Amino acid sequence: MKRLVILGSTGSIGQTTLRLLSSKSDEWEVVGLAARRDADALLRDAQRLGVRHIALSDDEAAAALRKRLPDGITLHQGEQGLLELVSLDADVVVCATVGMSGLAPVMRALETGKDIALATKEVLVAAGEIVMRERERLGRVITPIDSEHSAIFQCLQSASRTPFCVRRGDAAASEDSIRRLILTASGGPFFFRPELDFDKVKVEDALNHPKWRMGRKITIDSASMMNKGLEMIEARWLFNVPPERIDVLVHPESIVHSLVEFVDGTQLAELSHPDMTYAISYALSWPERESRDTFGFKPPLLDLATAGTLHFHSPDPVRFPALRLAREAIAAGGTATTTLNGANEVAVQAFLDGRIRFSDIWRIVEDALANCSSTASASDLGSVFEADKCARSFAAGRIASA
Ligand code: MG
C-alpha cells in the first residue's frame, strides 16, 4: 500500500487523480488533501475517502471551515499548513497547485523523504536548479505529470530499457543520446486566427481552449503560448538538456504529446487520446505500466484511423513572443526564469480580472525581465523568493499605471 498526499486536490489534475485512483483503494491510501480555498469540495472528498488530514492555504477559508470541522479531521492552515501536510507519513506527493505556491511544499516533501509527481511546472521554472539538485542529493524521484514531459519521459524510458533478447548490462539513455526534445503545443484558441487583434481579446475567448479542459491560469498561459515557454524551462531542468536543443512544434490535434530526437536522427513520440489520466497514471505507476482496466476512470483509447490526419506547424515567435521571452530568460540565467514566472502569474491574474489587455501579458513579462536584476544566482531559495517578490511588485506597478 502506498500513501499519497495531493496538493491542489480540488483542481483539474487533483480531481482526475482521485478519479483515476477510485478503483485502487487496495493499492493507494490518500492521507492528505490540500486546496487553496474550496472548502466544500475538499471536505466532501476527505469524508468520502476517509482522509484525516486536510489543508487550506487561504487563511480566511481555513478559519471559516474550522468552525464546522467534523470530528476526526485535522485542518492545516496557510502556507505552513501545506508544509505540515507534506511532512505526514507518506510515499508520494502529487503537486498540482497553481503556480509558484508549490515550491516550498515540494522542497519540504523532498526533505522529508517523499517522491514527487509534479504537475506544477512553475516550481521548476522558478527554482529548477535548486529543486533538481535537492532531488539528486536526497535520492528522490520526480515524475512529470505535464503531458509533454510525461511523453518525453516515456520516450526516454523506452530508449533505456532494451528488449531482453538484446540486453547487455543496463543500457541507459543518457543526455548524450538526445539530439533534440520536441515539445508539441496545441496552439491554444488563437494560433489559427491570424486576423485576431491581441489588444482586443476577451477573457472568455482566451479561456475557450479547443482541446483541453484545465484551470484558468494554465488556460490563459496556453492562449498566450507562455505555457510552452514555461514547459521549455521545465524540460530544461527535468531532462538536463540545454535550451538550444529544445524545440516546439504546433500540433492542433494534441495526440502526439511530444517527441525525442536521438543522436542517430530517429524520433520517438508518445501518442494517446488527449486526457490527463494517462500522464497521471504513468507518473504514479512508473517504472511499471498499470492496466487501463484498473483505472477508476477510463478515457477513450486512441484510434488513429478515426483521428485521420494529424497536422504540424512551426510556432510563430512574432505573433506569440512568449517562446522568445522564455529562451531569453533561460539564456540570461540566474533568477531570470523566476522573474519571468512571477511577472507572468501577476499579469495573467490581472488579465482574468479585466485590468489589462491580453497583449499586455507579454509586455509586462518582457519589461520585468529587462528591469528586475537577474544577476543573482538561483542556487539558493532566498534569492529565488527575492526575485519572485521583485517581479511581482514590478508587474503590479505596471498594471496599476496601465
Ligand atoms: Mg503541458
Side-chain angles (χ1 to χ4, degrees), residues 256-268:
V256 176
H257 296 300
S258 276
L259 309 91
V260 176
E261 184 174 271
F262 292 93
V263 282
D264 63 358
T266 297
Q267 295 185 358
L268 289 187

Side-chain angles (χ1 to χ4, degrees), residues 178-222:
I178 301 168
R179 188 164 181 277
R180 277 193 304 158
L181 304 180
I182 305 166
L183 296 168
T184 52
S186 69
F190 302 147
F191 187 83
F192 296 99
R193 296 184 57 194
E195 80 292 351
L196 216 61
D197 180 348
F198 286 139
D199 288 348
K200 293 178 183 152
V201 162
K202 293 199 184 85
V203 172
E204 58 265 35
D205 293 335
L207 285 174
N208 188 21
H209 196 280
K211 278 289 167 200
W212 297 96
R213 287 284 153 264
M214 308 177 286
R216 286 156 67 88
K217 197 267 177 179
I218 186 174
T219 304
I220 299 302
D221 282 342
S222 195

Side-chain angles (χ1 to χ4, degrees), residues 119 121 145-149 183-184 212 214 218 227-228 231 234 257 276:
K121 64 198 73 171
I145 286 180
D146 206 351
S147 60
E148 295 78 0
H149 303 72
L183 296 168
T184 52
W212 297 96
M214 308 177 286
I218 186 174
N227 185 50
K228 215 47 58 178
E231 289 182 354
E234 181 187 15
H257 296 300
M276 291 306 294

Side-chain angles (χ1 to χ4, degrees), residues 106-370:
V106 161
M107 291 296 285
R108 176 64 62 86
L110 289 171
E111 285 160 13
T112 54
K114 279 76 174 185
D115 291 333
I116 310 286
L118 184 67
T120 310
K121 64 198 73 171
E122 291 89 340
V123 167
L124 291 178
V125 175
E129 185 181 343
I130 302 171
V131 172
M132 296 310 283
R133 188 185 62 207
E134 284 301 281
R135 179 210 72 77
E136 175 135 16
R137 186 177 73 80
L138 298 161
R140 305 317 316 171
V141 168
I142 298 180
T143 50
I145 286 180
D146 206 351
S147 60
E148 295 78 0
H149 303 72
S150 175
I152 290 168
F153 184 58
Q154 294 184 57
C155 292
L156 294 176
Q157 298 303 314
S158 312
S160 68
R161 290 202 158 189
T162 48
F164 70 90
C165 57
V166 294
R167 185 181 297 151
R168 284 177 304 188
D170 190 16
S174 69
E175 289 109 65
D176 301 341
S177 68
I178 301 168
R179 188 164 181 277
R180 277 193 304 158
L181 304 180
I182 305 166
L183 296 168
T184 52
S186 69
F190 302 147
F191 187 83
F192 296 99
R193 296 184 57 194
E195 80 292 351
L196 216 61
D197 180 348
F198 286 139
D199 288 348
K200 293 178 183 152
V201 162
K202 293 199 184 85
V203 172
E204 58 265 35
D205 293 335
L207 285 174
N208 188 21
H209 196 280
K211 278 289 167 200
W212 297 96
R213 287 284 153 264
M214 308 177 286
R216 286 156 67 88
K217 197 267 177 179
I218 186 174
T219 304
I220 299 302
D221 282 342
S222 195
S224 71
M225 292 198 75
M226 187 61 83
N227 185 50
K228 215 47 58 178
L230 301 178
E231 289 182 354
M232 279 177 49
I233 302 168
E234 181 187 15
R236 184 258 171 277
W237 292 114
L238 268 179
F239 305 115
N240 195 25
V241 168
E244 60 274 17
R245 288 201 272 139
I246 305 174
D247 284 340
V248 170
L249 188 62
V250 175
H251 167 46
E253 289 85 5
S254 295
I255 284 175
V256 176
H257 296 300
S258 276
L259 309 91
V260 176
E261 184 174 271
F262 292 93
V263 282
D264 63 358
T266 297
Q267 295 185 358
L268 289 187
E270 184 266 332
L271 288 74
S272 61
H273 178 81
D275 188 298
M276 291 306 294
T277 311
Y278 289 113
I280 296 168
S281 172
Y282 194 70
L284 293 178
S285 67
W286 176 87
E288 310 302 328
R289 278 188 191 278
E290 286 284 319
S291 165
R292 180 173 164 278
D293 294 342
T294 68
F295 292 6
F297 168 77
K298 291 176 185 55
L301 285 167
L302 175 61
D303 177 2
L304 281 174
T306 307
T309 312
L310 303 182
H311 297 83
F312 300 93
H313 309 265
S314 294
D316 182 343
V318 178
R319 280 183 72 224
F320 296 88
L323 294 178
R324 170 178 61 79
L325 295 172
R327 282 191 196 281
E328 287 172 5
I330 303 175
T335 51
T337 60
T338 318
T339 302
L340 171 131
N341 181 68
N344 183 61
E345 282 193 35
V346 172
V348 167
Q349 189 57 51
F351 172 69
L352 284 168
D353 295 341
R355 294 160 63 208
I356 58 170
R357 295 169 294 184
F358 184 71
S359 54
D360 289 333
I361 297 172
W362 299 312
R363 291 188 195 104
I364 288 167
V365 170
E366 179 146 32
D367 289 354
L369 282 172

Side-chain angles (χ1 to χ4, degrees), residues 3-6 29-34 42-56 65-66 69-77 81 84-85 88-89:
R3 286 151 303 172
L4 187 72
V5 170
I6 304 178
E29 183 193 359
V30 182
V31 296
L33 293 172
L42 184 70
L43 200 55
R44 177 201 67 208
D45 288 338
Q47 289 183 308
R48 185 167 55 85
L49 298 164
V51 178
R52 302 216 313 272
H53 291 270
I54 59 174
L56 282 171
L65 177 60
R66 200 171 290 287
L69 194 66
D71 286 344
I73 293 185
T74 305
L75 173 64
H76 303 263
Q77 182 172 339
E84 291 163 10
L85 204 72
L88 292 171
D89 190 12

